[in-house]
Amino acid sequence: MSTSNAVQKQWDIGVTSIASADRLIELIRGASEDNVQPQAVLAICALGSAIHPHQRLIGEGVNALGGTKNVRIENMKLSIGLQFGGTALYLRQSTPGVAAFLLVCALKLWHVDDDVGDILYEMALASGVISRWPASAQQFSQVVSTIAGNAGTILPARHLHDIGISMLGSAIQTSVRKVLYEQIAKQSVAKILTYVFSGFQDSDVHSMTLSGAASAVWLVAILTWIVPDEVRVYSGPRLIIGPQGAKLTVNLKLVDGLEQGWEFTEWRGEVSLVDLIVAQRDLGMRPHIPRLVTKHHFQSLYALSIQDTAIMGQVAGALLCVFSERGFIYHRRGHPAQPLRNENLSRVEVSTRTGLLDVASDWFCGEYALIMKHYGWTVAELQSGQTKVYEALQGWGPTFADGGYVSERDQLTNHLCNCINDIYGHRTEGYDARTYVEFAIDLATHALVFVTRNESPSQKEPEFISPSSYSIVQERMVGKLLHGHGMLSHHFRQIILEMLLPHNEKLRGDELVIAGNGMVIYPSIIADPNCKKKAALGLTVILGTIRKGKERYTVVKELQDSLPSELVELGYLRPFDGGKFVGLVPKAVPNQAELETLSTVRGTELMVKNIIRFTDLTTTQPIDESSRIRTFDIKSTTHRTGRDFSWLRAIDNLATAKHLCNEHMMTRHGEEALAKRLADEHYFEQLRWVSPFSGHEYDEHSKQGRKLVARTCQDPLLCLYQLSLPDLFAIVTHGVSLIKGIALAESIADEYVILT
């Protein structure tokens, strides 16, 4: 069991104090008749003080504890020894007592009385209850055995069965299915329940995340039975149990490295990502080579002549031009460990291929041919031979021979050596061209960081070059950019960060803001949200640190679990009314959205969870109040709601989405003609307006093919939210003809979402 909080939970147990002498006498009398320890009864009641069951369930618990009997008469019978059951009578007279009894009922679904007592004892230890009401594990078990008979009429066995059917019937991975009923240690159960119920009690905790799979059916059954409105369960991106606004999110997945396979996170304390970045100009650390003196560093360190140093800059500049013009990024569902060959890319993956120059800033597009001047070379040095090397690289690509594998970088090195000997043979006599070809490849690869720059860097900006520190990174990038299909957009971002911060550990890909070597690097879009394709991958690099209060952190990571396709169907698109073209008018108009970011601490890392909040005009209401597996319907009301959001997924989709521009504008007559052709081909029969502004989830498995049109009114946050949803091919119309966007989408993908 892993948790983001190292501090022991201390429950508020003041409500369990004895309110009167009469109550104390009742407890002592009832406990002695049942042969249980009063201290253990008080401790169990203290555990119940942090549990707030559903109101209907409290009534059922009272009845199970003998709620139909007169309390005064039963006390009188106890006092003269006519009956036992005083412990149950005591418990039912307070809400914490009933809540504790309900927890016992839930635990008995999977454990015998002694094990239930052990779990309650471990919970009392973890929560600090035992320090106030000392009792042994055996005494806890005695109390459980005493009230176990009352649980017979209320045990949620049917609910456990329904939960199991619901989980097994959803799209859960086979590896997860195998452990859903696997029993975990009693200590782990106690820790999970302690942290969950503590989080429910703590008003400073905005939300909680519980990730794991072992014994998930039983754990989810316990939680959804006791607090059904506060628990939601996800299998990947799909919500399978519970309401959207639940405080606890359970992610069904295998958690690596944990003995019992569960990880718990509390999200508290709203933060501003930009405010976490503290600029500092006098850090006194320069561990790498300043970028502007790179040329002189190579020249002096390797005793290169002026001519050879110039050649190295020309080769690097030519190679960067090839990378920039031939390099592609693309987005696809999943994260393959190995690159795919061209023939293995799907039609949608090919359609999302985006040239590096298409996502680079206007500054880079106008500057990349002479980018080596930012590493110390002059324009005159570069222009004299860079064009010849560039021409020699045209049409060349790595091959795969039957005689053995040769890496793409080695093939490139050999080809460049031959080109240099052909072009500069009279200058390099006595030198091995490989001496500076290797450094030229290092320089060209590192210069790809400028693809993520939105403007010319100043001389003071802390970009360094350390060629020997990321050779493995270069192997990945060189090979993928020289292939026709390019590389995954999130891999490209990750490698750029690894080159900007050499000597760091290999990044996982969930880093949103990262600090190292006196620098802080973060996506520019988080400070200026927009839906522009240009500079979508832009990074801001400053001298500084990451701080929250007085604490300093090395990285801010983004939670990317449980990002559902939270869309509600608003109706089919109907461009014609009685044969007359009326255009496409959305069924709902969204309102202004706001971004909320919650955080939790894990050592020197700060984990954040992003939520888009807005005023919704619809909400979810249960259709059948008596059903434990609750179904929902849309009711008209107004409330504040929120949806999980990922900056990193939004950035990847924004960079690889198709964007319409002014050249796609159409006249009214042209729109009508195109709409008629699409209608004749029955394209509008599957298209639906959708909206994120409802707790009612669009059931992606109930209909064939998702062809969706989402209304955002060009609000940047709403647009980015839609782009963060997994995992549809996206077209952003930017106010251009929606009919044109539909025609383009139909020619590319079977499933898509159009943002208008």
Side-chain angles (χ1 to χ4, degrees):
M1 173 67 188
S2 174
T3 177
S4 60
N5 300 287
V7 180
Q8 186 186 46
K9 296 295 182 183
Q10 297 294 325
W11 288 8
D12 180 10
I13 58 178
V15 295
T16 63
S17 59
I18 303 301
S20 67
D22 290 341
R23 291 281 289 142
L24 177 60
I25 293 171
E26 290 174 17
L27 172 62
I28 295 174
R29 184 185 297 131
S32 61
E33 292 289 348
D34 290 333
N35 194 27
V36 298
Q37 173 57 248
Q39 291 281 93
V41 177
L42 290 173
I44 289 176
C45 287
L47 292 177
S49 66
I51 303 172
H52 303 285
H54 194 276
Q55 289 296 322
R56 182 179 60 251
L57 195 59
I58 291 178
E60 295 176 5
V62 170
N63 291 335
L65 288 168
T68 59
K69 300 177 181 179
N70 185 281
V71 174
R72 182 170 297 180
I73 294 176
E74 296 304 311
N75 282 334
M76 182 182 67
K77 290 180 179 180
L78 279 172
S79 65
I80 60 177
L82 293 179
Q83 72 171 45
F84 298 100
T87 303
L89 180 64
Y90 179 81
L91 291 177
R92 77 178 175 93
Q93 295 182 63
S94 68
T95 300
V98 176
F101 169 70
L102 293 172
L103 178 59
V104 170
C105 294
L107 292 173
K108 279 180 64 60
L109 281 173
W110 213 259
H111 297 279
V112 297
D113 292 351
D114 288 345
D115 289 343
V116 173
D118 290 341
I119 292 172
L120 295 178
Y121 176 74
E122 293 291 339
M123 291 179 65
L125 283 176
S127 62
V129 166
I130 206 71
S131 62
R132 181 164 183 179
W133 308 111
S136 67
Q138 183 179 1
Q139 291 169 341
F140 274 79
S141 297
Q142 288 174 344
V143 176
V144 171
S145 297
T146 299
I147 61 176
N150 298 80
T153 61
I154 197 176
L155 281 178
R158 176 67 183 182
H159 180 70
L160 175 66
H161 173 76
D162 291 343
I163 291 293
I165 294 298
S166 180
M167 286 189 180
L168 294 174
S170 61
I172 299 179
Q173 297 177 349
T174 303
S175 57
V176 174
R177 287 173 180 264
K178 291 180 179 179
V179 298
L180 287 178
Y181 285 93
E182 180 180 292
Q183 194 163 5
I184 60 177
K186 292 178 288 187
Q187 292 81 358
S188 297
V189 174
K191 287 182 179 180
I192 291 172
L193 295 179
T194 300
Y195 277 101
V196 167
F197 288 123
S198 297
F200 285 139
Q201 185 187 40
D202 192 343
S203 59
D204 291 334
V205 176
H206 291 250
S207 61
M208 301 174 287
T209 303
L210 185 62
S211 300
S215 198
V217 170
W218 175 69
L219 284 171
V220 169
I222 287 180
L223 296 172
T224 54
W225 183 63
I226 296 177
V227 282
D229 295 330
E230 296 296 335
V231 183
R232 60 177 180 173
V233 183
Y234 280 99
S235 173
R238 188 184 179 197
L239 176 66
I240 59 175
I241 297 172
Q244 294 285 1
K247 188 172 184 177
L248 173 65
T249 298
V250 180
N251 292 319
L252 298 179
K253 68 175 187 177
L254 297 180
V255 180
D256 297 332
L258 298 180
E259 180 181 353
Q260 294 297 336
W262 285 95
E263 183 177 58
F264 180 81
T265 305
E266 284 182 349
W267 301 97
R268 60 173 74 218
E270 187 176 354
V271 298
S272 167
L273 290 175
V274 176
D275 292 342
L276 294 174
I277 302 162
V278 180
Q280 291 180 259
R281 285 294 178 185
D282 188 20
L283 297 178
M285 54 189 303
R286 293 293 184 271
H288 303 293
I289 308 162
R291 170 176 42 79
L292 291 176
V293 301
T294 302
K295 167 193 167 184
H296 302 290
H297 168 81
F298 283 120
Q299 186 175 4
S300 60
L301 186 62
Y302 298 100
L304 296 176
S305 67
I306 295 176
Q307 292 178 329
D308 289 329
T309 306
I311 293 173
M312 183 170 66
Q314 294 164 13
V315 173
L319 188 55
L320 176 68
C321 290
V322 172
F323 284 154
S324 302
E325 294 171 3
R326 289 171 54 179
F328 288 90
I329 59 173
Y330 67 95
H331 178 68
R332 70 187 300 260
R333 185 175 299 191
H335 306 278
Q338 299 296 330
L340 300 177
R341 302 304 177 202
N342 248 342
E343 60 270 21
N344 291 331
L345 290 180
S346 69
R347 181 163 61 107
V348 175
E349 289 162 358
V350 171
S351 69
T352 63
R353 286 194 307 176
T354 300
L356 291 182
L357 293 181
D358 293 328
V359 294
S361 66
D362 292 333
W363 169 82
F364 179 83
C365 292
E367 190 81 5
Y368 74 94
L370 298 175
I371 206 73
M372 285 300 121
K373 70 181 183 181
H374 294 283
Y375 290 87
W377 278 266
T378 65
V379 174
E381 288 176 314
L382 297 174
Q383 288 179 335
S384 60
Q386 180 171 303
T387 302
K388 295 179 181 179
V389 180
Y390 172 80
E391 292 173 349
L393 287 170
Q394 294 303 302
W396 178 86
T399 59
F400 299 91
D402 295 333
Y405 174 75
V406 180
S407 72
E408 290 90 341
R409 180 187 169 100
D410 288 342
Q411 292 185 55
L412 178 61
T413 300
N414 295 334
H415 180 71
L416 285 172
C417 288
N418 294 333
C419 292
I420 289 174
N421 289 328
D422 292 341
I423 298 172
Y424 305 105
H426 63 286
R427 294 183 181 177
T428 60
E429 187 174 349
Y431 288 90
D432 182 4
R434 185 177 293 271
T435 302
Y436 43 82
V437 165
E438 292 286 348
F439 297 130
I441 296 176
D442 291 336
L443 280 169
T445 310
H446 185 273
L448 283 168
V449 301
F450 285 101
V451 171
T452 65
R453 301 313 309 271
N454 296 333
E455 58 185 10
S456 178
S458 66
Q459 294 186 8
K460 295 181 180 180
E461 287 195 3
E463 295 184 48
F464 306 95
I465 179 73
S466 181
S468 62
S469 63
Y470 48 83
S471 58
I472 297 178
V473 171
Q474 289 180 336
E475 289 285 350
R476 303 203 307 267
M477 177 168 275
V478 169
K480 291 178 181 180
L481 289 182
L482 290 177
H483 279 299
H485 69 271
M487 63 190 304
L488 288 164
S489 54
H490 73 275
H491 282 170
F492 180 81
R493 284 190 295 100
Q494 183 176 333
I495 291 175
I496 291 296
L497 287 174
E498 290 177 6
M499 290 195 298
L500 284 171
L501 298 170
H503 298 307
N504 279 356
E505 295 183 4
K506 187 177 182 301
L507 303 180
R508 292 177 46 185
D510 58 352
E511 296 83 3
L512 189 58
V513 183
I514 188 167
N517 303 329
M519 298 182 291
V520 178
I521 306 173
Y522 61 93
S524 304
I525 199 170
I526 69 175
D528 179 26
N530 64 80
C531 292
K532 301 176 183 176
K533 189 182 186 75
K534 277 288 186 183
L537 301 179
L539 295 174
T540 297
V541 183
I542 68 169
L543 286 168
T545 57
I546 301 173
R547 290 183 180 274
K548 183 173 183 263
K550 296 182 179 180
E551 301 298 326
R552 182 170 173 175
Y553 300 95
T554 57
V555 65
V556 177
K557 293 186 175 182
E558 181 184 65
L559 179 75
Q560 297 188 60
D561 292 332
S562 301
L563 290 173
S565 183
E566 293 165 350
L567 302 172
V568 59
E569 179 184 332
L570 298 176
Y572 289 91
L573 276 71
R574 294 291 183 261
F576 294 94
D577 184 9
K580 181 180 179 182
F581 180 67
V582 294
L584 294 176
V585 180
K587 301 296 182 182
V589 178
N591 51 35
Q592 190 69 30
E594 297 178 357
L595 177 66
E596 178 182 290
T597 302
L598 306 178
S599 66
T600 190
V601 177
R602 293 181 180 174
T604 60
E605 299 179 353
L606 193 65
M607 290 290 297
V608 296
K609 176 182 180 181
N610 299 300
I611 300 173
I612 295 288
R613 294 202 179 276
F614 47 87
T615 301
D616 196 355
L617 298 180
T618 58
T619 187
T620 58
Q621 300 292 340
I623 295 175
D624 183 3
E625 285 285 356
S626 64
S627 173
R628 297 297 188 202
I629 306 297
R630 308 174 84 187
T631 54
F632 295 90
D633 192 11
I634 299 178
K635 304 294 183 182
S636 178
T637 186
T638 300
H639 74 293
R640 195 74 176 164
T641 189
R643 295 288 176 268
D644 293 344
F645 165 71
S646 168
W647 279 111
L648 297 178
R649 290 191 182 184
I651 290 170
D652 287 335
N653 279 326
L654 179 65
T656 56
K658 290 294 183 184
H659 292 250
L660 302 187
C661 54
N662 290 335
E663 67 183 35
H664 296 100
M665 293 292 291
M666 300 182 68
T667 63
R668 179 76 172 182
H669 178 73
E671 277 192 326
E672 182 177 357
L674 181 56
K676 188 176 186 309
R677 180 173 65 83
L678 294 175
D680 291 340
E681 297 178 9
H682 307 288
Y683 287 137
F684 292 113
E685 293 180 3
Q686 297 184 50
L687 275 167
R688 292 178 293 278
W689 289 110
V690 292
S691 170
F693 314 107
S694 176
H696 176 71
E697 184 182 14
Y698 172 74
D699 186 358
E700 60 186 80
H701 300 281
S702 64
K703 299 180 176 68
Q704 295 295 324
R706 291 174 294 169
K707 298 183 178 183
L708 315 174
V709 179
R711 175 77 165 174
T712 67
C713 290
Q714 301 185 55
D715 183 317
L717 279 178
L718 295 182
C719 180
L720 291 170
Y721 166 77
Q722 293 285 359
L723 290 169
S724 76
L725 298 177
D727 258 319
L728 293 175
F729 169 68
I731 292 181
V732 185
T733 62
H734 295 290
V736 179
S737 171
L738 178 55
I739 299 291
K740 182 69 174 180
I742 294 171
L744 179 60
E746 286 288 346
S747 67
I748 295 174
D750 297 324
E751 297 186 326
Y752 53 81
V753 59
I754 301 174
L755 278 60
T756 182

